[in-house]
C-alpha cells in the first residue's frame, strides 16, 4: 500500500477494502510513503491510513514518513510509538544509516552495507519486496512476525535486495540468481 492509494479516491476506498478483505493467513505489509507535497490538504489520507493500519502486520517506514506522521518526535521514538500503537512489526529504514526492526518481543538495529550508489529510486520497494519474498520462501506465517529473529532474517534479505537495486539506474531489483551468487 503506498501513498497515492491512500490519498486519491477511489483508490483510498479500494485499498482499504482490499486490506480489510485479506484472509487471516495473509501477511499485510504497508508503506505510507509519505510525500508532503501530495498529502497537503488531503482529507483522505488520515482515515485511510488508520483503517489500513488496523490490519497491517508489517509497516515499513522511512525517516521521511515518520517526520510527516510524527513531526514532533525523533524518528526512532516515532517508530517505537508506531509499533506500540499498531502492534505490527515495524521496519524503519534510515537510508544508508541502518534498518531498525521493532516487534512486540524485541528490537534490533541492522547495518546497511556501503555500496556505490547509482540510483535510490525503488530502494524502499526493493527492500519490502525482498522482505516479503524471503518471508514467503521460508514458509513463515503471520504469527511468526513477532519472532524477532525471523523478522531480522527477512529484513537482512530485504537489505541485500535494496543494496543491489541502488547500484543500478532505475528501479531494477535483482533476479534471484544474482542474490544466490553473492
Amino acid at each position: 500500500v503506498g501513498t497515492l492509494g491512500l490519498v486519491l479516491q477511489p483508490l483510498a476506498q479500494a485499498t482499504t477494502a482490499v486490506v480489510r478483505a485479506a484472509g487471516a493467513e495473509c501477511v499485510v505489509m504497508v508503506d505510507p510513503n509519505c510525500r508532503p507535497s501530495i498529502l497537503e490538504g488531503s482529507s483522505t489520507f488520515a482515515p485511510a491510513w488508520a483503517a489500513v493500519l488496523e490490519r497491517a502486520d508489517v509497516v515499513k517506514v522511512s525517516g521521511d514518513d515518520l517526520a510527516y506522521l510524527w513531526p514532533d518526535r525523533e524518528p526512532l521514538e516515532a517508530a517505537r510509538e508506531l509499533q506500540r500503537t499498531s502492534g505490527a512489526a515495524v521496519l524503519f529504514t534510515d537510508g544508508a544509516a541502518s534498518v531498525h526492526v521493532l516487534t512486540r518481543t524485541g528490537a534490533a538495529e541492522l547495518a546497511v552495507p556501503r555500496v556505490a550508489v547509482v540510483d535510490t529510486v525503488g530502494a524502499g520497494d526493493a527492500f519490502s519486496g525482498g522482505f516479503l519474498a524471503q518471508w514467503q520462501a521460508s514458509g513463515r506465517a503471520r504469527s511468526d512476525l513477532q519472532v524477532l529473529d525471523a523478522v531480522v532474517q527477512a529484513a537482512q534479505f530485504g537489505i541485500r535486495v535494496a543494496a543491489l537495486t541502488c547500484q543500478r539506474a532505475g528501479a531494477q531489483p535483482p533476479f534471484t540468481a544474482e542474490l544466490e551468487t553473492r
Side-chain angles (χ1 to χ4, degrees):
V1 175
T3 302
L4 291 179
L6 296 176
V7 175
L8 307 172
Q9 292 296 7
L11 291 176
Q13 291 171 330
T15 300
T16 301
V18 167
V19 168
R20 284 183 174 157
E25 74 289 346
C26 183
V27 172
V28 174
M29 184 172 189
V30 298
D31 177 351
N33 200 20
C34 296
R35 300 294 183 259
S37 62
I38 296 171
L39 293 174
E40 189 175 326
S42 172
S43 61
T44 306
F45 177 77
W49 173 242
V52 167
L53 205 51
E54 286 178 14
R55 175 54 178 84
D57 299 304
V58 182
V59 180
K60 184 267 182 212
V61 288
S62 68
D64 290 341
D65 297 331
L66 293 168
Y68 178 82
L69 294 167
W70 285 281
D72 59 332
R73 298 205 178 164
E74 292 297 317
L76 185 54
E77 178 188 337
R80 288 180 180 133
E81 178 66 17
L82 177 59
Q83 193 292 310
R84 279 191 300 270
T85 59
S86 70
V90 172
L91 308 174
F92 164 33
T93 59
D94 197 13
S98 61
V99 172
H100 292 269
V101 175
L102 308 165
T103 70
R104 287 185 196 135
T105 60
E109 183 175 3
L110 309 179
V112 174
R114 300 270 180 235
V115 297
V117 174
V118 173
D119 190 349
T120 61
V121 172
D125 292 334
F127 171 81
S128 295
F131 178 91
L132 289 171
Q134 196 283 336
W135 194 261
Q136 183 178 16
S138 66
R140 302 277 185 194
R142 279 181 71 201
S143 59
D144 296 323
L145 284 163
Q146 297 309 320
V147 177
L148 182 62
D149 289 344
V151 179
V152 164
Q153 182 181 22
Q156 287 171 325
F157 188 77
I159 290 168
R160 286 182 57 215
V161 172
L164 286 170
T165 301
C166 287
Q167 295 174 62
R168 307 163 183 219
Q172 296 185 41
F175 290 95
T176 304
E178 294 173 272
L179 292 161
E180 292 170 355
T181 62
R182 294 178 185 246

